[in-house]
Amino acid sequence: QGSQKRSNSTPETPQPKRAPLSHSPYGLFSPGSLSPSVTPSQKYSSRGGRGEVVASFGSVQGLAWSGHGGCAPKLFGCPEENLSKPYKFMFQKAQDIREVLSARMEELGEVLQRHHGLQGFRSTSIPSQEPVTVLGYIGCDGNGKLNASSVLLVGDREHSVGTEIHLDLSRLPEYSLFPGQVVALEGTNSTGRRMVVSKLYEVTP
């Protein structure tokens, strides 16, 4: 057998390491084989024919859309609650966001009172040996993960002035909470710093 001459491969003239297969099964199901035969796209800066239809499916000849009759939008609710001018999303002031959240909590508190027949809410900062009912939303103590030992309640503005209190949920048979959830809790707060929860009232549909 004669010696086989190896091909010279330089950076100027690189040689492929493996010859391409002429009968590859992947070529039969490539995107190019299933897509319509259109002109390959050029660079974005030098593209031409912008807005031109290069491929279509079905017949759309002679299709025209027309409307008749006027349609005018109507705003419902109080005028001060409707938007009268554009605003930048997520550019609201912290005080405005606080006002909206507080108003929403008061509305949900009234719903909880009617649905569960609650008498009234107490403050989260006043110690009490007897079971009391408080209103607020679920928060986290700052470690970033909500678990059984990091749950706290941020009290409402009317009764608790936004006071935070840690919660002991060991006496509840089951619960499912998430940060920001508005709830009403019944339990004892003997020290004014931690509330032992015995009942959980949630907003139900």
Side-chain angles (χ1 to χ4, degrees):
Q1 297 180 355
S3 61
Q4 297 181 355
K5 188 176 181 180
R6 299 180 62 181
S7 60
N8 295 328
S9 178
T10 62
E12 290 77 11
T13 59
Q15 299 292 334
K17 295 183 179 180
R18 182 177 298 177
L21 298 177
S22 58
H23 300 286
S24 174
Y26 298 101
L28 300 177
F29 302 101
S30 63
S33 63
L34 300 177
S35 303
S37 58
V38 297
T39 305
S41 61
Q42 301 175 354
K43 291 185 178 180
Y44 185 81
S45 59
S46 61
R47 72 190 191 280
R50 288 173 289 183
E52 179 184 357
V53 178
V54 296
S56 61
F57 178 78
S59 177
V60 293
Q61 299 295 331
L63 184 62
W65 295 92
S66 62
H68 61 278
C71 179
K74 182 179 179 182
L75 298 178
F76 292 90
C78 301
E80 59 271 9
E81 296 179 358
N82 298 325
L83 292 177
S84 58
K85 59 182 179 179
Y87 71 100
K88 293 183 178 180
F89 180 64
M90 297 182 66
F91 279 80
Q92 297 91 345
K93 297 180 180 179
Q95 186 66 25
D96 297 338
I97 298 176
R98 176 67 178 177
E99 292 294 330
V100 173
L101 294 178
S102 299
R104 185 59 175 168
M105 190 187 308
E106 293 176 2
E107 295 177 3
L108 294 177
E110 296 177 358
V111 174
L112 287 170
Q113 278 187 311
R114 292 194 304 265
H115 183 74
H116 297 284
L118 304 178
Q119 298 297 329
F121 299 115
R122 300 283 299 274
S123 174
T124 58
S125 59
I126 299 178
S128 175
Q129 300 293 337
E130 299 295 330
V132 295
T133 306
V134 296
L135 175 68
Y137 67 88
I138 299 298
C140 189
D141 63 357
N143 59 5
K145 294 182 179 180
L146 189 65
N147 49 52
S149 59
S150 66
V151 181
L152 54 84
L153 183 75
V154 182
D156 63 333
R157 180 175 56 179
E158 181 181 357
H159 303 90
S160 304
V161 203
T163 305
E164 299 179 356
I165 184 173
H166 284 81
L167 301 179
D168 183 359
L169 306 175
S170 58
R171 296 189 180 182
L172 292 178
E174 59 180 3
Y175 57 87
S176 177
L177 303 173
F178 59 88
Q181 179 181 1
V182 178
V183 295
L185 303 174
E186 180 180 326
T188 56
N189 182 16
S190 57
T191 62
R193 298 179 179 178
R194 178 177 296 271
M195 183 175 186
V196 181
V197 182
S198 56
K199 290 184 180 181
L200 171 64
Y201 302 101
E202 302 179 77
V203 179
T204 56

